[in-house]
Amino acid sequence: MRIRALLAATVLAGTAGVIAATTSPAQAAAGCRVDYTVSSSWPGGFGASVAVTNLGDSLTGWRLSWTFTAGQTVTQLWNGSVSQSGGQVTVTNASYNATIPAGGSAAFGFNGATTGSNPAPAAFTLNGVACTGAPATPTPTGSSATPTPTGSSATPTPTASSATPTPTPSTSAPAGLPCDLYAAGGTPCVAAHSTTRALSAGYAGALYQVRRSSDNTTRDIGVVSRGGAANAATQDSFCAGTSCVITVIYDQSGRGNNLGYQGPGGIGGADTAAGATRESVAVGGNKVYSLYINPGNSYWRNGSATGIPTGSAPEGIYMVTSGTHVNGGCCFDYGNSETTRRADGAGAMDAIYFGTSCWFGGCSGSGPWIQADLEYGLYPGGSSSWNPNQRAFTSKFVTAMLKNNGTSRFALKGSNAQSGSLTTLWDGALPRGYSPMRKQGAIILGSGGDCCIDNTNQSIGTFYEGAMVAGYPSDATESAVQANIVAAGYR
């Protein structure tokens, strides 16, 4: 279920007066729009994602409020903090998503409990200003800072006789994208990266940044619509007549875990940025570009202070890659890695590996395989011995998944990203010497952990999308993510 709070500004002014949030410790909002999505429900509970778009000037510090009318309660929330008194709910920004630029969005998700029906909130306020889907009406000179009733009611609560229209369903963005699904399952995304599409229904920001060689200027590449595919036309126009590289892959989780290339002009190191136009594909009929990794390309971020699990904390990871652009070089990884960019011992990494490397020998076939890079080895299963349940994934688009509870158990899954369900390759004990895990909380993409300060990546691979989540995702959640990937229509 999904609604958009798009109450007409003229009607709102006639029923609730004008509100100037002069008593709020945060800045007043000049206008806002809220997308409220119930992405999953079960007996007695539900999961929801909320995106708030700032329609005024840049805002630093925000507080979103609404009222539940059927006894719903928020039981768990991420990407913010929550307080609730009766039906009144207020969510305050986290430190890493406090600023919403003009036209930008902030998103959070929560799990809730219900005792019966679960109607969506009828209205929202941002820093005390009603979110109408349009800039707020200026406060008349000399008016009160508190709401001034001008009609029969000062509260815009939809009733059978109220003049305030009921919010209508919105179809501008799909519900149930990967990070929505993970959040609904209680394992929220703490990093989400893609050059092809938004990974949550409310995301409307930049996906990645390109730099052109003609003048070394950069341009952010966003989405064609909220929750939609990448806007390749922006890149094509910007890079016309010259060449471009991908310098940054932005984090869509709201935690700021943006990936920069490991080289001069990036985060530092011996590698270079990947070419921005090496491969174009289609998602849902829209032209998009992949992150096409060749030897000497890699990306990294120290996320240990911005939500990436460390030590023995549980986590899950998925990525969509390709079975047609692979090799045995070390190591095409996506996931948790060392903050030192050095091999720091068994359990310092927890990343998906995809390629043809047969690290311990004895492999069956030639791959490519989905394995776990746990540092000091690429594991096909629970030991260095070959896992007979392993299989090669040679399709153009491949879904790869890894989850690790950090103390005793991990699982590997894979599938064709265009059709079918997930195949479980391993679900069992961690290898000897890896319990507990000793994750450091950096993020690697395209190389192994022992790279690339003064050495270069040797692997090749393709990255379309992926995310890291806090907690141990359920099988049902992972199956829902796979179904969404198939529905995305990679071609």
Side-chain angles (χ1 to χ4, degrees), residues 248-470:
V248 179
I249 304 101
Y250 290 110
D251 175 23
Q252 300 181 37
S253 77
R255 292 179 174 267
N257 287 312
N258 306 325
L259 298 172
Y261 71 92
Q262 297 194 84
I267 64 165
D271 270 354
T272 59
T277 56
R278 288 173 177 168
E279 181 193 51
S280 65
V281 297
V283 170
N286 297 278
K287 176 186 177 181
V288 295
Y289 288 100
S290 69
L291 180 68
Y292 199 82
I293 297 289
N294 282 336
N297 304 145
S298 62
Y299 297 76
W300 182 87
R301 154 84 182 187
N302 183 352
S304 59
T306 47
I308 302 304
T310 59
S312 61
E315 75 175 348
I317 310 164
Y318 92 93
M319 75 169 168
V320 178
T321 182
S322 176
T324 62
H325 179 60
V326 295
N327 72 356
C330 184
C331 297
F332 184 70
D333 288 348
Y334 175 62
N336 202 313
S337 187
E338 289 96 339
T339 57
T340 61
R341 293 192 272 174
R342 302 292 188 188
D344 285 340
M349 291 186 66
D350 185 35
I352 299 171
Y353 165 79
F354 188 69
T356 60
S357 177
C358 183
W359 191 270
F360 296 108
C363 301
S364 175
S366 57
W369 303 289
I370 297 166
Q371 301 182 74
D373 190 343
L374 305 179
E375 195 53 277
Y376 287 6
L378 303 177
Y379 284 87
S383 72
S384 59
S385 299
W386 184 246
N387 171 14
N389 290 326
Q390 269 287 350
R391 51 151 291 185
F393 291 90
T394 59
S395 57
K396 170 63 178 175
F397 301 100
V398 175
T399 303
M401 291 186 177
L402 164 66
K403 58 183 175 183
N404 188 331
N405 73 1
T407 57
S408 60
R409 176 186 177 192
F410 80 111
L412 290 165
K413 298 180 182 181
S415 183
N416 186 324
Q418 292 179 297
S419 64
S421 57
L422 293 165
T423 296
T424 299
L425 308 170
W426 177 261
D427 188 351
L430 284 162
R432 182 174 299 177
Y434 290 83
S435 178
M437 294 290 291
R438 305 168 185 86
K439 299 185 295 294
Q440 294 188 12
I443 308 169
I444 198 72
L445 173 55
S447 74
D450 192 17
C451 194
C452 300
I453 296 175
D454 51 17
N455 57 336
T456 59
N457 174 44
Q458 301 300 308
S459 72
I460 67 174
T462 310
F463 182 84
Y464 301 106
E465 65 177 78
M468 302 172 65
V469 307

Side-chain angles (χ1 to χ4, degrees), residues 40-47 112-114 118:
S40 182
S41 60
W42 55 90
F46 67 102
T114 61
N118 184 27

Side-chain angles (χ1 to χ4, degrees), residues 152-197:
S152 59
S153 172
T155 304
T157 304
T159 64
S161 60
S162 172
T164 304
T166 302
T168 56
S170 167
T171 59
S172 63
L177 299 184
C179 284
D180 302 318
L181 297 167
Y182 278 120
T187 51
C189 289
V190 292
H193 304 104
S194 178
T195 61
T196 63
R197 65 171 182 147

Side-chain angles (χ1 to χ4, degrees), residues 193-287:
H193 304 104
S194 178
T195 61
T196 63
R197 65 171 182 147
L199 299 181
S200 62
Y203 190 76
L207 299 181
Y208 61 100
Q209 181 189 86
V210 296
R211 185 181 66 210
R212 64 188 178 195
S213 61
S214 59
D215 58 5
N216 282 328
T217 59
T218 61
R219 176 67 56 85
D220 287 348
I221 308 301
V223 291
V224 295
S225 62
R226 182 177 305 277
N231 193 340
T234 301
Q235 176 176 317
D236 289 340
S237 175
F238 181 73
C239 299
T242 185
S243 61
C244 281
V245 294
I246 295 177
T247 50
V248 179
I249 304 101
Y250 290 110
D251 175 23
Q252 300 181 37
S253 77
R255 292 179 174 267
N257 287 312
N258 306 325
L259 298 172
Y261 71 92
Q262 297 194 84
I267 64 165
D271 270 354
T272 59
T277 56
R278 288 173 177 168
E279 181 193 51
S280 65
V281 297
V283 170
N286 297 278
K287 176 186 177 181

